[in-house]
Coordinates of all heavy atoms in Angstrom, one line a residue:
I19 N 19.4 105.1 -48.1 CA 18.5 104.2 -47.5 C 19.1 103.6 -46.3 O 20.1 102.9 -46.3 CB 18.1 103.1 -48.5 CG1 17.4 103.7 -49.7 CG2 17.2 102.0 -47.8 CD1 17.1 102.6 -50.8
A20 N 18.5 103.9 -45.1 CA 19.0 103.4 -43.8 C 20.5 103.4 -43.6 O 21.1 102.4 -43.3 CB 18.5 101.9 -43.7
P21 N 21.1 104.6 -43.8 CA 22.5 104.7 -43.6 C 22.9 104.6 -42.2 O 22.3 105.2 -41.3 CB 22.8 106.1 -44.2 CG 21.6 106.9 -43.9 CD 20.5 105.9 -44.1
A22 N 24.0 103.8 -41.9 CA 24.3 103.5 -40.5 C 25.2 104.5 -39.8 O 25.2 104.5 -38.6 CB 25.1 102.1 -40.5
S23 N 25.8 105.4 -40.5 CA 26.8 106.2 -39.8 C 26.4 107.7 -39.6 O 27.2 108.5 -39.1 CB 28.1 106.2 -40.6 OG 27.9 106.7 -42.0
V24 N 25.2 108.1 -40.0 CA 24.9 109.5 -40.0 C 25.0 110.1 -38.6 O 25.5 111.2 -38.4 CB 23.4 109.7 -40.5 CG1 23.0 111.1 -40.3 CG2 23.4 109.4 -42.0
A25 N 24.5 109.3 -37.6 CA 24.5 109.8 -36.2 C 25.9 109.9 -35.6 O 26.2 110.6 -34.6 CB 23.7 109.0 -35.3
L26 N 26.9 109.3 -36.3 CA 28.3 109.3 -35.8 C 29.1 110.3 -36.4 O 30.2 110.6 -36.0 CB 28.9 107.9 -36.1 CG 28.2 106.7 -35.5 CD1 28.9 105.4 -35.9 CD2 28.1 106.8 -34.0
L27 N 28.6 111.0 -37.5 CA 29.4 112.0 -38.2 C 29.4 113.3 -37.4 O 28.5 113.6 -36.7 CB 28.8 112.3 -39.6 CG 28.9 111.1 -40.6 CD1 28.1 111.5 -41.8 CD2 30.3 110.7 -40.9
H28 N 30.5 114.0 -37.5 CA 30.6 115.3 -36.9 C 29.7 116.3 -37.6 O 29.3 116.2 -38.8 CB 32.1 115.8 -36.9 CG 33.0 115.0 -36.2 ND1 32.9 114.9 -34.8 CD2 34.1 114.3 -36.6 CE1 33.9 114.1 -34.4 NE2 34.6 113.7 -35.4
R29 N 29.3 117.4 -36.8 CA 28.4 118.4 -37.3 C 29.0 119.0 -38.6 O 28.3 119.3 -39.6 CB 28.2 119.4 -36.3 CG 27.3 120.6 -36.7 CD 27.0 121.5 -35.6 NE 28.3 122.0 -34.9 CZ 28.3 122.7 -33.8 NH1 27.2 122.9 -33.1 NH2 29.4 123.0 -33.2
E30 N 30.3 119.3 -38.6 CA 31.0 119.9 -39.7 C 30.9 119.0 -41.0 O 30.8 119.5 -42.1 CB 32.4 120.2 -39.4 CG 32.6 121.3 -38.3 CD 32.4 120.7 -36.9 OE1 32.3 119.5 -36.8 OE2 32.3 121.5 -35.9
E31 N 31.0 117.7 -40.7 CA 31.0 116.8 -41.9 C 29.6 116.8 -42.5 O 29.5 116.8 -43.8 CB 31.3 115.3 -41.4 CG 32.8 115.2 -41.0 CD 33.1 113.8 -40.4 OE1 32.4 113.4 -39.5 OE2 34.0 113.2 -40.9
L32 N 28.6 116.8 -41.7 CA 27.2 116.8 -42.3 C 26.9 118.2 -43.0 O 26.4 118.2 -44.0 CB 26.2 116.5 -41.2 CG 26.2 115.1 -40.7 CD1 25.3 115.0 -39.4 CD2 25.6 114.2 -41.8
A33 N 27.4 119.2 -42.3 CA 27.1 120.6 -42.8 C 27.8 120.8 -44.1 O 27.4 121.7 -44.9 CB 27.5 121.6 -41.8
S34 N 28.9 120.1 -44.4 CA 29.7 120.3 -45.7 C 29.0 119.7 -46.9 O 29.4 119.9 -48.0 CB 31.1 119.7 -45.5 OG 31.0 118.2 -45.5
I35 N 27.9 118.9 -46.7 CA 27.2 118.3 -47.8 C 26.4 119.4 -48.5 O 25.5 120.0 -47.9 CB 26.3 117.1 -47.3 CG1 27.1 116.0 -46.6 CG2 25.5 116.6 -48.5 CD1 26.3 115.0 -46.0
G36 N 26.7 119.6 -49.8 CA 26.1 120.7 -50.5 C 25.1 120.3 -51.6 O 24.7 121.2 -52.3
V37 N 24.7 119.0 -51.6 CA 23.8 118.6 -52.7 C 22.5 118.2 -52.0 O 22.5 117.8 -50.8 CB 24.4 117.4 -53.5 CG1 25.6 117.8 -54.2 CG2 24.6 116.2 -52.6
P38 N 21.4 118.1 -52.7 CA 20.1 117.7 -52.1 C 20.2 116.2 -51.7 O 20.8 115.4 -52.4 CB 19.1 117.8 -53.3 CG 19.7 118.8 -54.2 CD 21.2 118.6 -54.1
V39 N 19.7 116.0 -50.4 CA 19.8 114.6 -49.9 C 18.4 114.2 -49.4 O 17.7 115.1 -48.7 CB 20.8 114.5 -48.7 CG1 20.8 113.1 -48.2 CG2 22.2 115.0 -49.1
R40 N 18.0 113.0 -49.7 CA 16.7 112.5 -49.1 C 17.1 111.1 -48.4 O 17.8 110.3 -49.0 CB 15.7 112.3 -50.2 CG 14.3 111.8 -49.6 CD 13.2 112.1 -50.6 NE 11.9 111.6 -50.2 CZ 11.1 112.2 -49.3 NH1 11.5 113.3 -48.7 NH2 9.9 111.7 -49.0
F41 N 16.5 110.9 -47.2 CA 16.8 109.7 -46.5 C 15.5 108.9 -46.4 O 14.4 109.4 -46.2 CB 17.2 110.0 -45.0 CG 18.5 110.7 -44.9 CD1 18.6 112.1 -45.0 CD2 19.7 110.0 -44.7 CE1 19.8 112.8 -44.9 CE2 20.9 110.7 -44.6 CZ 21.0 112.0 -44.7
A42 N 15.7 107.5 -46.5 CA 14.6 106.6 -46.2 C 15.0 105.8 -44.9 O 16.0 105.2 -44.9 CB 14.5 105.6 -47.4
L43 N 14.2 106.0 -43.9 CA 14.6 105.5 -42.5 C 13.4 104.6 -42.1 O 12.3 104.9 -42.3 CB 14.8 106.6 -41.5 CG 15.9 107.6 -41.8 CD1 15.9 108.6 -40.7 CD2 17.2 107.0 -42.0
A44 N 13.8 103.4 -41.4 CA 12.9 102.5 -40.8 C 12.8 102.7 -39.3 O 13.9 102.8 -38.7 CB 13.3 101.1 -41.2
T45 N 11.6 102.8 -38.8 CA 11.5 103.2 -37.3 C 12.1 102.1 -36.4 O 12.5 102.3 -35.3 CB 10.1 103.5 -37.0 OG1 9.3 102.3 -37.2 CG2 9.5 104.7 -37.7
D46 N 12.0 100.8 -36.9 CA 12.4 99.7 -36.1 C 13.7 99.1 -36.6 O 14.0 97.9 -36.4 CB 11.4 98.6 -36.0 CG 10.1 99.1 -35.3 OD1 10.0 100.3 -34.9 OD2 9.2 98.2 -35.0
D47 N 14.6 99.9 -37.2 CA 15.9 99.4 -37.7 C 16.7 98.8 -36.6 O 16.9 99.5 -35.5 CB 16.6 100.6 -38.3 CG 17.7 100.2 -39.3 OD1 18.6 99.4 -38.8 OD2 17.7 100.6 -40.4
Q48 N 17.3 97.6 -36.8 CA 18.0 96.9 -35.8 C 19.5 97.4 -35.7 O 20.2 97.1 -34.7 CB 18.1 95.4 -36.1 CG 16.7 94.8 -36.2 CD 16.3 94.7 -37.7 OE1 16.4 95.6 -38.4 NE2 16.0 93.5 -38.1
Y49 N 20.0 98.1 -36.7 CA 21.4 98.5 -36.8 C 21.7 100.0 -36.6 O 22.8 100.3 -36.4 CB 21.9 98.0 -38.1 CG 21.8 96.5 -38.3 CD1 20.9 96.0 -39.2 CD2 22.5 95.6 -37.5 CE1 20.8 94.6 -39.4 CE2 22.4 94.3 -37.7 CZ 21.5 93.7 -38.6 OH 21.4 92.4 -38.7
I50 N 20.7 100.8 -36.8 CA 20.9 102.2 -36.5 C 19.8 102.7 -35.5 O 18.7 102.1 -35.4 CB 20.8 103.1 -37.8 CG1 19.4 103.1 -38.4 CG2 21.8 102.6 -38.9 CD1 19.2 104.0 -39.5
V51 N 20.1 103.7 -34.8 CA 19.2 104.2 -33.8 C 18.4 105.3 -34.5 O 18.9 106.4 -34.9 CB 19.9 104.9 -32.6 CG1 18.9 105.4 -31.6 CG2 20.8 103.8 -31.9
F52 N 17.1 105.0 -34.8 CA 16.3 105.8 -35.6 C 16.2 107.2 -35.1 O 16.4 108.2 -35.9 CB 14.9 105.2 -35.7 CG 13.8 106.1 -36.3 CD1 13.8 106.4 -37.7 CD2 12.9 106.8 -35.5 CE1 12.9 107.2 -38.3 CE2 12.0 107.6 -36.1 CZ 12.0 107.8 -37.5
R53 N 15.9 107.4 -33.8 CA 15.7 108.8 -33.3 C 17.0 109.6 -33.4 O 17.0 110.8 -33.7 CB 15.2 108.7 -31.9 CG 13.7 108.1 -31.8 CD 13.1 108.3 -30.5 NE 11.8 107.7 -30.4 CZ 10.7 108.3 -30.9 NH1 10.8 109.5 -31.4 NH2 9.5 107.7 -30.8
K54 N 18.1 109.0 -33.1 CA 19.4 109.7 -33.1 C 19.8 110.1 -34.6 O 20.3 111.2 -34.8 CB 20.5 108.9 -32.5 CG 20.5 108.8 -31.0 CD 21.7 108.1 -30.5 CE 21.7 108.1 -29.0 NZ 22.9 107.4 -28.4
T55 N 19.5 109.2 -35.5 CA 19.8 109.5 -36.9 C 18.9 110.6 -37.4 O 19.3 111.6 -38.0 CB 19.5 108.2 -37.8 OG1 20.4 107.2 -37.3 CG2 19.8 108.5 -39.2

């Protein structure tokens, strides 16, 4: 739910995630950039 660091992770770090993931994102989040995330 609204994770703050996704856009800062390296491609390899994200690609290494091997389990199903679902994200809940808010379009007007003050702390993460929605479009970059």
Side-chain angles (χ1 to χ4, degrees):
I19 298 176
S23 60
V24 171
L26 304 177
L27 295 175
H28 295 296
R29 176 174 56 189
E30 295 78 11
E31 292 176 305
L32 288 170
S34 69
I35 298 174
V37 298
V39 183
R40 185 160 175 80
F41 294 87
L43 302 179
T45 60
D46 292 9
D47 197 306
Q48 307 96 307
Y49 300 109
I50 68 173
V51 181
F52 168 75
R53 293 191 181 280
K54 286 186 177 181
T55 300

